[in-house]
Amino acid sequence: MKSQFNKSMNIVDVLFLAIGAMLGWGWVVLSGEWVSAAGFIGSIVAFLIGGLLVIVIGLTYAELASAIPETGGGFVFVKKAFSPGIAFISGWSVLFGYVSVITFEAVALPTVIDYVIPFKHHGFMWNIAGWDVYLTWVLIGSIGSIVLTSLNYFGVKPAAIMQTVFTIFIVAVGLLLVFGAGFNGNFSNLKPFENGVGGTMSVLMMIPFLFVGFDVIPQIAEEVKAPSKKIGGILILSIIASVIFYLLIVFGVATGLSPSALNTSSLATADAMVNLFGHSGFGVLLVLGGVAGIITSWNAFIIGGSRILYAMAKNKMIPQWFAYIHPKFKTPTHGILFLGVLAFVAPLLGRPALSWIVNAGGIGVVLGYLLVAISFLKLRKTHPNLERPYRIKNGQIVGIIAVILSILFIVIYLPGMPSSLAWPSEWLIVLVWYLIAGVLYLTQKRKTTEDAYVSIQGDKQSDYQ
């Protein structure tokens, strides 16, 4: 069946789409925490181990993306391996993670703008969880959502071009930090380890969620004008490039700030940049790199999330409204508008509520990883003759490791773990999200059954006439 999408994205577009998704705002706000918690070598070890783990999971996606290059990515893989019900859980779970990032970025944008252009906000609206929400603050995030939604509405190519430009800017700013560290950094600050194994583990736990985004590539496989084999290769390359970027940022921050300065800094990456170059303008430049990161991850998850909605609607699992493809722009415009509305209203909840959502959404992405890894193993057995242009070696071992790692990532969220989800706020969000899933699935299943019955009755009547 002919695809409804245009093949308008080249390999460079795809590479920057994934890298931009993974280099969000975290490298600006969390780098000081990494170095303080684990030390320089401890952080490097955490990123090397974590990066290796993500690459293992990425390999399963890479093989399946080249073998089944259809819009919907992981959802489509799981559907081919298992029942529609399990595929629904997979798609809905990953969508949860994407929605949480999209809404969070709509809140991160005004937060960062405050750092670059500090001003007193006006139009007090309400207080949520001890945080005052102002109209002027909300408008920054909401206007950002209108711009990004519009960009995606009018075709994937304009969004891809913007993604490439902004990702290059992020990388350039990061390299400038490393350049400053190499010439002006204090290498005596490079304390190997802090807080022993526990410190390294605390950084390791953050890593899977810093790398959410490589899985956007399979979502848009139908829109890539390149051989299927290259899609798998570019997915792995995007993860490796992002690991290298994070390692360089750790080096820049560790040499740019003393341990005591790290402990008192609220934005260590920016402060390290100022310290290394001796001018506050460089700190603003780095924060602008963070703004670019917010936009690239936000943009990538609008692209990925709208394609998941399309694939699920096309398979009659959610309302058909989401399966609409614009005849001129060839984008799933209804899905894009839906995600745009969520981002538009998100700032009304203030920062605390949005951190609950993004924490809760992480469990969805990891559950999606697990189901794809299991599907990878099953399809190797049930469909051995499926053409796999990007076939990985030792697939059985890689698949088993990916399953084990995914389960370990899920365990991180469970009660009793250091980074477990908070009760009741975060767990209630998870429960409500999956309750909506149950209602949607049962409603759509009943509707599909009724439509099939009506169709059969119509056929019978026509036979009698």
Side-chain angles (χ1 to χ4, degrees), residues 32 52 84 124 128 133 135 249 257 271 290 329 346 370 394 438 456 461:
L52 189 62
F124 174 78
I128 294 181
V133 180
L135 178 61
I249 294 300
L257 289 177
D271 290 342
F329 306 125
L370 174 62
N394 304 311
I456 291 167
Q461 284 183 2

Side-chain angles (χ1 to χ4, degrees), residues 127-213:
N127 182 288
I128 294 181
W131 203 81
D132 292 340
V133 180
Y134 287 90
L135 178 61
T136 50
W137 189 87
V138 168
L139 285 174
I140 296 170
S142 297
I143 291 168
S145 74
I146 292 171
V147 172
L148 279 168
T149 302
S150 302
L151 195 67
N152 278 279
Y153 187 97
F154 296 115
V156 75
K157 191 62 183 178
I161 291 169
M162 186 212 68
Q163 186 82 358
T164 299
V165 171
F166 277 61
T167 303
I168 290 171
F169 179 66
I170 295 167
V171 173
V173 170
L175 291 177
L176 185 62
L177 172 69
V178 176
F179 176 81
F183 282 91
N184 302 324
N186 185 348
F187 286 76
S188 64
N189 290 342
L190 298 179
K191 289 196 171 183
F193 292 93
E194 294 281 353
N195 305 312
V197 175
T200 302
M201 283 298 294
S202 68
V203 177
L204 186 59
M205 283 193 292
M206 299 182 202
I207 286 171
F209 319 111
L210 292 170
F211 287 92
V212 171

Side-chain angles (χ1 to χ4, degrees), residues 299-439:
N299 185 53
F301 290 120
I302 289 175
I303 292 172
S306 60
R307 272 63 177 178
I308 294 174
L309 287 166
Y310 163 81
M312 294 179 75
K314 189 181 168 189
N315 284 275
K316 296 181 169 54
M317 293 182 181
I318 60 175
Q320 285 296 106
W321 186 80
F322 288 104
Y324 176 78
I325 299 292
H326 196 285
K328 180 180 178 182
F329 306 125
K330 301 298 183 185
T331 53
T333 46
H334 287 177
I336 291 166
L337 288 172
F338 172 73
L339 295 171
V341 169
L342 291 182
F344 184 86
V345 302
L348 293 169
L349 298 174
R351 251 184 291 182
L354 267 296
S355 64
W356 300 338
I357 293 170
V358 82
N359 289 344
I363 200 169
V365 174
V366 179
L367 183 56
Y369 289 165
L370 174 62
L371 291 172
V372 168
I374 296 170
S375 299
F376 168 84
L377 287 171
K378 185 171 183 192
L379 289 171
R380 273 286 181 109
K381 284 186 178 179
T382 58
H383 293 70
N385 297 323
L386 178 69
E387 188 181 348
R388 293 170 168 85
Y390 189 88
R391 187 182 180 91
I392 59 173
K393 294 179 181 178
N394 304 311
Q396 185 78 6
I397 295 169
V398 170
I400 290 169
I401 294 171
V403 169
I404 293 169
L405 293 176
S406 300
I407 292 170
L408 290 175
F409 289 157
I410 290 172
V411 169
I412 287 171
Y413 286 103
L414 299 180
M417 298 301 291
S419 56
S420 63
L421 296 183
W423 176 263
S425 55
E426 292 169 3
W427 277 113
L428 279 177
I429 291 168
V430 173
L431 293 172
V432 168
W433 182 260
Y434 285 99
L435 183 64
I436 294 169
V439 172

